[in-house]
Amino acid sequence: MERSAAGASYQRFPRVRIRELKDEYAKFELKDTDASMANALRRVMIAEVPTVAIDLVEIESNSSVLNDEFIAHRLGLIPLTSSAAMSMRFSRDCDACDGDGSCEYCSVEFHLAARATDSGQTLEVTSTKDLRSTDPKVCPVDQQREYQQALGNVDAYEPDAAGDHRGILIVKLRRGQELRLRAIARKGIGKDHAKWSPAATVTFMYEPDIRINQELMETLTLEEKQSWVESSPTKVFDIDPVTQQVTIVDPEAYTYDDEVIKKAEAMGKPGLVEINAKEDSFVFTVETTGAITAYELIMNAITVLRQKLDAVRLQDDDGDLGELGAHLIGG
C-alpha cells in the first residue's frame, strides 16, 4: 500500500488466494488492501449481486389453509438458479415489455397446479415436483440438483441427514383442496429485498499473527502449559505429545478475546504470547443460497464493485463531484 504525498489517496494492489472452493462454499484470503475494500466486497456480495426470484404471483385457485399472501411470500423465498442473472435486464429498465412476465429479457414465468384426491393422505406441494418454469435456465435450485443427480453427477446433490430429496415445502393439501397459480420471476438485488440475496453468509476476519515466546514458555511446567492452552475458548494451541512444546494448530480459530494474554499475565508471564491482526490481510468465508455458485458470487461481486468505482470515476471526470472530487485527487 502506498500513500501519496498529499495524503489523500491510496494505491492498492489486492491479491486473492483461494483456500477452499465448493459449489456453495468458499474460503479465500484477500491481501494487500485495507478494511474499507474488504467490507465493500462483503456488502456487495450480500446486497448488490443480482439473482432471480419470484416477484409477482397470480393466484387462480387456492382452497388450502394458507392465504394467498402467505403462499406468495413462500414462493418468493425459494432460491432459483440465477447464473444468467447478470445478463438479464431489471424489469424497471426493460423497454421490451410491460412487466407482465412474457419477456425473454427481464422475466421468467412459472406455473403450479396441484390438487389432492386421496382421502387418506396429505399431498405435499413442493418446489421440486410442482413448480414448473418456462425457462430451463431458471428453475428451483433443488429441482436443478435433482436433474444433475439423474445425469449421474452425484456430487452435485447431497441429501440432508434424513435423506430428504423432496425439495422446499410450499403447502400441504387435504382431499378436495387445490392450488393453481402463475408466478413471474424477476431480476433483483438483496438491497431491495432479502429474497434476491445470493449469500447465506459472508464474513471476514483479520488474519491473526501469533508468536509464542518459546524461551519464556519453557519456564512453565507441563501442567501450567496445559492450563494456559485450555484458557483459550477455541482450539488455537495444543501441546506436542512428543516434545511437550506448545504449538499453534489453528491461528484462524482465534477470536481476539485476549483470554490467553490475560492468563499469561495472571501466571506472572507477560509477553508469553504476542498476537496482532494483520491489517492488510483478511480471511473470507462465503456460503451461498445455491442460486449461484460461490465462485460466481465472488466474481460477480468484483464485477459489480468495479462498475460502481467506474461510475464514480466517470462522475469525477465530468466534474460532478465538486469539492469531493478535488479532495480525492489531492487538491
Side-chain angles (χ1 to χ4, degrees), residues 7 47 64 92 116 123 152 161 164 231 241 298:
S64 72
R92 60 180 177 269
L123 176 66
D164 192 351
S231 68
I298 296 167

Side-chain angles (χ1 to χ4, degrees), residues 9-62:
S9 63
Y10 292 86
Q11 188 171 7
R12 306 180 182 91
F13 299 95
R15 293 184 295 113
V16 174
R17 185 174 77 88
I18 302 292
R19 289 190 180 181
E20 188 176 353
L21 184 63
K22 299 178 182 177
D23 282 348
E24 297 177 10
Y25 175 84
K27 190 171 187 177
F28 66 93
E29 297 174 6
L30 180 66
K31 292 180 174 291
D32 298 337
T33 187
D34 60 16
S36 66
M37 184 62 67
N39 196 46
L41 183 61
R42 182 189 70 88
R43 290 174 66 92
V44 168
M45 279 193 277
I46 293 172
E48 300 199 47
V49 172
T51 63
V52 180
I54 291 175
D55 192 41
L56 174 65
V57 179
E58 296 177 355
I59 304 288
E60 298 174 20
S61 175
N62 177 22

